[in-house]
Amino acid sequence: MVAMISGIIESNRVNLPQICLKENSKTDLESRIQQKERWLDNVEVHTKTFYLPFVQAFLLGIKNQPLIFIMDVSALGKGFVVLMISIVYKNRSIPIVWKVLEGEKGHLPQMEHGSLMMSLHEIVQCIDNEIVILGDGEFDGTNIQRMWKMWAWKYVVRTAKDTKLHKAQEEFKFSDLPLNTWVESYQQSDGNVVNAYLWYEPKYVDPIPLLTNFESGLTAQIFYRKRFLIETFFSDQKSRGFFINKTRLKKVHRIDKILICNLSFSSFSISF
């Protein structure tokens, strides 16, 4: 793993030939590539042993402040995406759990969102900090909102401007609201009760419709601003960093393990 991380840093790439070219070794290139492929195919290499121990120790060290997590999805290579939950730390985001999936970027099934969120819950269930979840419009499903409420987590997620809310006989879409309007205890179509805020600032082309269980629009706005930190992280891994989006790896388990290496280095760099 150390050799993989060193090669990634030296080459600024995540493709095996470029990683191996940076090794100080007398072994021929093809043999080095095959060695790395065997490591990527090793079933004993996974996040539970190579990444989570660091994550758990890191989270336990964060005291007297909420743990703010961002959920997002990004394209990887050709025909793969990564669904990821990261924590906000020092105005950056550090990946905590992720899942690599085959497919193009777009709305994933809520089942996948819920499965990854269960993994996060398993990690933080013994931590006393308040938990806050942030997400864009892909993560506004009512099932996952109910999950967060069941765990007494706070959340702010973006939603579509045509999302309908109602209370008694009153019903409206976000697009019907005046800008920066806050409404409390309205129901979604399946009965899920939420607070809602149509947030707008002049720097935005369109207003941002938010669903939350916070008690004020201002609080929801303050937290949701931090969601954009995930964009900086993905830029660091792609165009400004290791070009993870251009990996030539063709198997989910191999991409997952190259992420362990890549994100271990990035996370240690930010946290220390």
Side-chain angles (χ1 to χ4, degrees):
M1 181 173 173
V2 172
M4 289 285 284
I5 294 175
S6 178
I8 290 170
I9 296 169
E10 290 290 328
S11 66
N12 224 36
R13 294 292 189 275
V14 293
N15 294 316
L16 295 185
Q18 292 164 305
I19 291 171
C20 293
L21 281 170
K22 292 297 181 177
E23 283 186 312
N24 184 15
S25 173
K26 295 181 180 179
T27 309
D28 65 272
L29 179 61
E30 188 60 34
S31 295
R32 281 179 275 159
I33 291 173
Q34 291 175 359
Q35 181 187 46
K36 299 296 183 295
E37 287 176 338
R38 288 194 294 271
W39 187 84
L40 292 174
D41 291 335
N42 188 340
V43 295
E44 299 299 324
V45 177
H46 45 71
T47 56
K48 287 186 177 180
T49 53
F50 282 79
Y51 192 80
L52 282 185
F54 155 72
V55 163
Q56 290 166 329
F58 168 69
L59 292 177
L60 286 170
I62 302 176
K63 305 294 185 182
N64 304 317
Q65 59 181 294
L67 301 182
I68 305 170
F69 294 98
I70 306 170
M71 195 170 191
D72 205 0
V73 62
S74 184
L76 282 182
K78 188 174 181 180
F80 297 92
V81 295
V82 58
L83 179 63
M84 182 177 288
I85 301 175
S86 304
I87 188 169
V88 174
Y89 184 73
K90 292 184 178 179
N91 287 322
R92 307 288 285 186
S93 63
I94 296 177
I96 301 299
V97 290
W98 64 84
K99 185 175 184 179
V100 178
L101 300 160
E102 291 190 53
E104 302 298 328
K105 186 176 179 181
H107 283 249
L108 297 173
Q110 285 196 45
M111 179 179 65
E112 297 291 358
H113 302 165
S115 174
L116 195 65
M117 200 57 63
M118 288 290 293
S119 297
L120 177 65
H121 181 261
E122 184 178 341
I123 294 169
V124 303
Q125 60 183 337
C126 296
I127 295 176
D128 294 331
N129 306 56
E130 180 182 46
I131 305 295
V132 179
I133 303 292
L134 310 176
D136 65 11
E138 182 169 348
F139 308 106
D140 67 345
T142 55
N143 289 338
I144 200 166
Q145 288 183 62
R146 287 190 171 96
M147 185 181 291
W148 296 329
K149 291 176 182 178
M150 179 178 66
W151 295 331
W153 292 2
K154 294 293 187 181
Y155 68 88
V156 189
V157 293
R158 188 168 184 163
T159 191
K161 63 182 180 181
D162 61 353
T163 296
K164 292 182 179 180
L165 299 173
H166 61 89
K167 180 190 290 186
Q169 302 303 313
E170 181 184 7
E171 181 178 281
F172 63 88
K173 298 179 182 178
F174 266 99
S175 55
D176 299 329
L177 291 174
L179 299 179
N180 294 314
T181 296
W182 168 258
V183 295
E184 292 185 348
S185 302
Y186 275 71
Q187 292 183 346
Q188 293 180 266
S189 57
D190 68 347
N192 182 55
V193 178
V194 293
N195 299 329
Y197 185 54
L198 186 63
W199 175 32
Y200 178 74
E201 291 184 0
K203 64 181 178 181
Y204 300 129
V205 176
D206 297 308
I208 300 175
L210 300 175
L211 300 176
T212 183
N213 61 347
F214 277 114
E215 289 73 30
S216 77
L218 178 60
T219 304
Q221 174 197 134
I222 289 171
F223 276 99
Y224 193 77
R225 286 180 189 276
K226 298 180 184 295
R227 197 209 73 82
F228 302 109
L229 295 173
I230 195 69
E231 307 300 338
T232 302
F233 167 78
F234 281 125
S235 294
D236 289 344
Q237 300 303 311
K238 295 180 178 180
S239 58
R240 291 205 305 259
F242 304 107
F243 296 89
I244 188 72
N245 55 313
K246 295 185 178 180
T247 179
R248 298 185 189 125
L249 297 174
K250 302 296 184 184
K251 297 180 180 179
V252 166
H253 71 272
R254 288 188 173 185
I255 296 175
D256 184 62
K257 287 165 187 171
I258 209 75
L259 280 173
I260 293 174
C261 298
N262 202 40
L263 300 180
S264 293
F265 166 70
S266 301
S267 299
F268 275 114
S269 299
I270 294 170
S271 57
F272 292 104

